[in-house]
mmCIF file of all heavy atoms in Angstrom:
data_model
loop_
_atom_site.group_PDB
_atom_site.id
_atom_site.type_symbol
_atom_site.label_atom_id
_atom_site.label_comp_id
_atom_site.label_asym_id
_atom_site.label_seq_id
_atom_site.Cartn_x
_atom_site.Cartn_y
_atom_site.Cartn_z
ATOM 1 N N GLU A 1 0.843 -1.190 0.000
ATOM 2 C CA GLU A 1 0.000 0.000 0.000
ATOM 3 C C GLU A 1 0.884 1.247 0.000
ATOM 4 O O GLU A 1 1.847 1.335 0.769
ATOM 5 C CB GLU A 1 -0.907 0.025 1.233
ATOM 6 C CG GLU A 1 -1.887 -1.136 1.328
ATOM 7 C CD GLU A 1 -3.005 -1.042 0.314
ATOM 8 O OE1 GLU A 1 -3.255 0.074 -0.203
ATOM 9 O OE2 GLU A 1 -3.642 -2.086 0.042
ATOM 10 N N PHE A 2 0.576 2.204 -0.870
ATOM 11 C CA PHE A 2 1.261 3.493 -0.794
ATOM 12 C C PHE A 2 1.055 4.068 0.605
ATOM 13 O O PHE A 2 -0.030 3.961 1.191
ATOM 14 C CB PHE A 2 0.718 4.471 -1.836
ATOM 15 C CG PHE A 2 1.243 4.227 -3.223
ATOM 16 C CD1 PHE A 2 0.412 3.766 -4.238
ATOM 17 C CD2 PHE A 2 2.574 4.472 -3.519
ATOM 18 C CE1 PHE A 2 0.886 3.547 -5.519
ATOM 19 C CE2 PHE A 2 3.067 4.253 -4.799
ATOM 20 C CZ PHE A 2 2.228 3.792 -5.797
ATOM 21 N N GLY A 3 2.103 4.673 1.123
ATOM 22 C CA GLY A 3 2.032 5.282 2.443
ATOM 23 C C GLY A 3 2.433 4.364 3.582
ATOM 24 O O GLY A 3 2.540 4.816 4.730
ATOM 25 N N ASP A 4 2.672 3.079 3.298
ATOM 26 C CA ASP A 4 3.035 2.113 4.343
ATOM 27 C C ASP A 4 4.524 2.226 4.654
ATOM 28 O O ASP A 4 5.356 1.600 3.998
ATOM 29 C CB ASP A 4 2.669 0.707 3.880
ATOM 30 C CG ASP A 4 2.970 -0.366 4.934
ATOM 31 O OD1 ASP A 4 3.487 -0.007 6.019
ATOM 32 O OD2 ASP A 4 2.689 -1.546 4.670
ATOM 33 N N ALA A 5 4.849 3.018 5.667
ATOM 34 C CA ALA A 5 6.247 3.242 6.035
ATOM 35 C C ALA A 5 6.867 2.009 6.679
ATOM 36 O O ALA A 5 8.015 1.646 6.389
ATOM 37 C CB ALA A 5 6.358 4.442 6.972
ATOM 38 N N ASP A 6 6.126 1.359 7.582
ATOM 39 C CA ASP A 6 6.643 0.158 8.229
ATOM 40 C C ASP A 6 6.886 -0.941 7.193
ATOM 41 O O ASP A 6 7.892 -1.654 7.247
ATOM 42 C CB ASP A 6 5.668 -0.345 9.292
ATOM 43 C CG ASP A 6 5.545 0.603 10.468
ATOM 44 O OD1 ASP A 6 6.463 1.431 10.670
ATOM 45 O OD2 ASP A 6 4.539 0.533 11.191
ATOM 46 N N GLY A 7 5.970 -1.052 6.247
ATOM 47 C CA GLY A 7 6.118 -2.053 5.200
ATOM 48 C C GLY A 7 7.334 -1.807 4.329
ATOM 49 O O GLY A 7 7.974 -2.752 3.849
ATOM 50 N N LEU A 8 7.658 -0.535 4.116
ATOM 51 C CA LEU A 8 8.837 -0.188 3.326
ATOM 52 C C LEU A 8 10.086 -0.793 3.952
ATOM 53 O O LEU A 8 10.925 -1.387 3.263
ATOM 54 C CB LEU A 8 8.957 1.335 3.226
ATOM 55 C CG LEU A 8 10.034 1.876 2.286
ATOM 56 C CD1 LEU A 8 9.683 1.593 0.828
ATOM 57 C CD2 LEU A 8 10.222 3.380 2.497
ATOM 58 N N VAL A 9 10.209 -0.654 5.256
ATOM 59 C CA VAL A 9 11.369 -1.199 5.967
ATOM 60 C C VAL A 9 11.383 -2.726 5.871
ATOM 61 O O VAL A 9 12.431 -3.340 5.632
ATOM 62 C CB VAL A 9 11.355 -0.729 7.435
ATOM 63 C CG1 VAL A 9 12.455 -1.414 8.232
ATOM 64 C CG2 VAL A 9 11.514 0.787 7.507
ATOM 65 N N GLU A 10 10.234 -3.345 6.044
ATOM 66 C CA GLU A 10 10.154 -4.803 5.958
ATOM 67 C C GLU A 10 10.545 -5.302 4.573
ATOM 68 O O GLU A 10 11.234 -6.318 4.426
ATOM 69 C CB GLU A 10 8.737 -5.273 6.301
ATOM 70 C CG GLU A 10 8.358 -5.118 7.752
ATOM 71 C CD GLU A 10 9.231 -5.945 8.676
ATOM 72 O OE1 GLU A 10 9.569 -7.099 8.300
ATOM 73 O OE2 GLU A 10 9.610 -5.442 9.748
ATOM 74 N N LEU A 11 10.113 -4.578 3.550
ATOM 75 C CA LEU A 11 10.412 -5.005 2.177
ATOM 76 C C LEU A 11 11.908 -4.939 1.866
ATOM 77 O O LEU A 11 12.404 -5.716 1.043
ATOM 78 C CB LEU A 11 9.629 -4.164 1.175
ATOM 79 C CG LEU A 11 8.128 -4.463 1.071
ATOM 80 C CD1 LEU A 11 7.437 -3.438 0.179
ATOM 81 C CD2 LEU A 11 7.886 -5.881 0.552
ATOM 82 N N ALA A 12 12.630 -4.027 2.509
ATOM 83 C CA ALA A 12 14.076 -3.955 2.285
ATOM 84 C C ALA A 12 14.740 -5.260 2.715
ATOM 85 O O ALA A 12 15.549 -5.851 1.977
ATOM 86 C CB ALA A 12 14.668 -2.769 3.036
ATOM 87 N N THR A 13 14.402 -5.718 3.899
ATOM 88 C CA THR A 13 14.986 -6.969 4.397
ATOM 89 C C THR A 13 14.540 -8.153 3.547
ATOM 90 O O THR A 13 15.352 -9.023 3.189
ATOM 91 C CB THR A 13 14.582 -7.190 5.858
ATOM 92 O OG1 THR A 13 15.066 -6.097 6.650
ATOM 93 C CG2 THR A 13 15.162 -8.485 6.402
ATOM 94 N N GLN A 14 13.270 -8.203 3.199
ATOM 95 C CA GLN A 14 12.762 -9.315 2.393
ATOM 96 C C GLN A 14 13.420 -9.361 1.015
ATOM 97 O O GLN A 14 13.711 -10.444 0.490
ATOM 98 C CB GLN A 14 11.246 -9.206 2.252
ATOM 99 C CG GLN A 14 10.484 -9.479 3.538
ATOM 100 C CD GLN A 14 8.974 -9.331 3.362
ATOM 101 O OE1 GLN A 14 8.469 -9.216 2.244
ATOM 102 N NE2 GLN A 14 8.255 -9.317 4.465
ATOM 103 N N THR A 15 13.662 -8.190 0.427
ATOM 104 C CA THR A 15 14.287 -8.155 -0.898
ATOM 105 C C THR A 15 15.718 -8.665 -0.831
ATOM 106 O O THR A 15 16.133 -9.492 -1.651
ATOM 107 C CB THR A 15 14.269 -6.724 -1.467
ATOM 108 O OG1 THR A 15 12.930 -6.238 -1.515
ATOM 109 C CG2 THR A 15 14.866 -6.702 -2.867
ATOM 110 N N ALA A 16 16.484 -8.187 0.129
ATOM 111 C CA ALA A 16 17.891 -8.586 0.237
ATOM 112 C C ALA A 16 18.045 -10.087 0.439
ATOM 113 O O ALA A 16 18.996 -10.703 -0.058
ATOM 114 C CB ALA A 16 18.562 -7.831 1.376
ATOM 115 N N HIS A 17 17.101 -10.687 1.151
ATOM 116 C CA HIS A 17 17.170 -12.124 1.441
ATOM 117 C C HIS A 17 16.297 -12.957 0.504
ATOM 118 O O HIS A 17 16.208 -14.175 0.665
ATOM 119 C CB HIS A 17 16.776 -12.371 2.893
ATOM 120 C CG HIS A 17 17.744 -11.783 3.877
ATOM 121 N ND1 HIS A 17 18.997 -12.320 4.113
ATOM 122 C CD2 HIS A 17 17.660 -10.675 4.659
ATOM 123 C CE1 HIS A 17 19.634 -11.585 5.007
ATOM 124 N NE2 HIS A 17 18.850 -10.581 5.356
ATOM 125 N N ARG A 18 15.661 -12.297 -0.458
ATOM 126 C CA ARG A 18 14.775 -12.952 -1.426
ATOM 127 C C ARG A 18 13.708 -13.788 -0.708
ATOM 128 O O ARG A 18 13.440 -14.940 -1.065
ATOM 129 C CB ARG A 18 15.566 -13.811 -2.408
ATOM 130 C CG ARG A 18 16.268 -12.986 -3.500
ATOM 131 C CD ARG A 18 16.900 -13.881 -4.550
ATOM 132 N NE ARG A 18 17.424 -13.137 -5.696
ATOM 133 C CZ ARG A 18 16.733 -12.865 -6.807
ATOM 134 N NH1 ARG A 18 15.473 -13.252 -6.902
ATOM 135 N NH2 ARG A 18 17.285 -12.210 -7.811
ATOM 136 N N GLU A 19 13.080 -13.181 0.284
ATOM 137 C CA GLU A 19 12.030 -13.842 1.040
ATOM 138 C C GLU A 19 10.660 -13.334 0.583
ATOM 139 O O GLU A 19 10.459 -12.126 0.426
ATOM 140 C CB GLU A 19 12.198 -13.563 2.534
ATOM 141 C CG GLU A 19 13.501 -14.109 3.122
ATOM 142 C CD GLU A 19 13.730 -13.625 4.536
ATOM 143 O OE1 GLU A 19 13.048 -12.659 4.964
ATOM 144 O OE2 GLU A 19 14.613 -14.181 5.208
ATOM 145 N N GLY A 20 9.705 -14.235 0.417
ATOM 146 C CA GLY A 20 8.359 -13.832 0.050
ATOM 147 C C GLY A 20 8.351 -13.004 -1.233
ATOM 148 O O GLY A 20 9.033 -13.327 -2.215
ATOM 149 N N PHE A 21 7.558 -11.919 -1.217
ATOM 150 C CA PHE A 21 7.479 -11.068 -2.401
ATOM 151 C C PHE A 21 8.797 -10.340 -2.667
ATOM 152 O O PHE A 21 9.022 -9.846 -3.776
ATOM 153 C CB PHE A 21 6.344 -10.053 -2.230
ATOM 154 C CG PHE A 21 5.997 -9.321 -3.496
ATOM 155 C CD1 PHE A 21 5.402 -9.984 -4.555
ATOM 156 C CD2 PHE A 21 6.289 -7.976 -3.641
ATOM 157 C CE1 PHE A 21 5.093 -9.321 -5.736
ATOM 158 C CE2 PHE A 21 5.983 -7.296 -4.812
ATOM 159 C CZ PHE A 21 5.380 -7.973 -5.870
ATOM 160 N N GLY A 22 9.684 -10.308 -1.664
ATOM 161 C CA GLY A 22 11.013 -9.738 -1.886
ATOM 162 C C GLY A 22 11.779 -10.440 -2.986
ATOM 163 O O GLY A 22 12.630 -9.837 -3.643
ATOM 164 N N ASP A 23 11.469 -11.717 -3.213
ATOM 165 C CA ASP A 23 12.123 -12.462 -4.291
ATOM 166 C C ASP A 23 11.747 -11.880 -5.647
ATOM 167 O O ASP A 23 12.571 -11.832 -6.565
ATOM 168 C CB ASP A 23 11.725 -13.936 -4.199
ATOM 169 C CG ASP A 23 12.534 -14.822 -5.127
ATOM 170 O OD1 ASP A 23 13.738 -14.572 -5.288
ATOM 171 O OD2 ASP A 23 11.957 -15.762 -5.697
ATOM 172 N N ASP A 24 10.500 -11.420 -5.783
ATOM 173 C CA ASP A 24 10.061 -10.782 -7.027
ATOM 174 C C ASP A 24 10.675 -9.400 -7.167
ATOM 175 O O ASP A 24 11.128 -9.005 -8.257
ATOM 176 C CB ASP A 24 8.539 -10.672 -7.046
ATOM 177 C CG ASP A 24 7.855 -12.023 -6.961
ATOM 178 O OD1 ASP A 24 7.691 -12.673 -8.004
ATOM 179 O OD2 ASP A 24 7.488 -12.436 -5.842
ATOM 180 N N LEU A 25 10.706 -8.645 -6.074
ATOM 181 C CA LEU A 25 11.291 -7.302 -6.116
ATOM 182 C C LEU A 25 12.779 -7.357 -6.459
ATOM 183 O O LEU A 25 13.305 -6.448 -7.102
ATOM 184 C CB LEU A 25 11.107 -6.611 -4.757
ATOM 185 C CG LEU A 25 9.663 -6.294 -4.336
ATOM 186 C CD1 LEU A 25 9.644 -5.772 -2.906
ATOM 187 C CD2 LEU A 25 9.024 -5.287 -5.281
ATOM 188 N N ALA A 26 13.458 -8.421 -6.045
ATOM 189 C CA ALA A 26 14.900 -8.546 -6.258
ATOM 190 C C ALA A 26 15.285 -8.612 -7.726
ATOM 191 O O ALA A 26 16.450 -8.427 -8.080
ATOM 192 C CB ALA A 26 15.427 -9.785 -5.532
ATOM 193 N N GLU A 27 14.308 -8.857 -8.604
ATOM 194 C CA GLU A 27 14.574 -8.917 -10.035
ATOM 195 C C GLU A 27 14.533 -7.548 -10.693
ATOM 196 O O GLU A 27 14.904 -7.405 -11.859
ATOM 197 C CB GLU A 27 13.570 -9.841 -10.715
ATOM 198 C CG GLU A 27 13.752 -11.306 -10.363
ATOM 199 C CD GLU A 27 15.089 -11.832 -10.865
ATOM 200 O OE1 GLU A 27 15.307 -11.827 -12.089
ATOM 201 O OE2 GLU A 27 15.914 -12.232 -10.030
#
């Protein structure tokens, strides 16, 4: 969701470790 600040931080960790949707963002 736009505006989700806490989610932004969570997505950084998920992307770096390719966890969950972070695996898609990592591409």
Side-chain angles (χ1 to χ4, degrees):
E1 298 288 340
F2 282 112
D4 182 359
D6 293 339
L8 188 69
V9 173
E10 290 298 321
L11 286 173
T13 300
Q14 290 179 11
T15 303
H17 294 287
R18 283 187 172 269
E19 297 171 345
F21 192 69
D23 190 38
D24 300 276
L25 294 173
E27 291 296 298

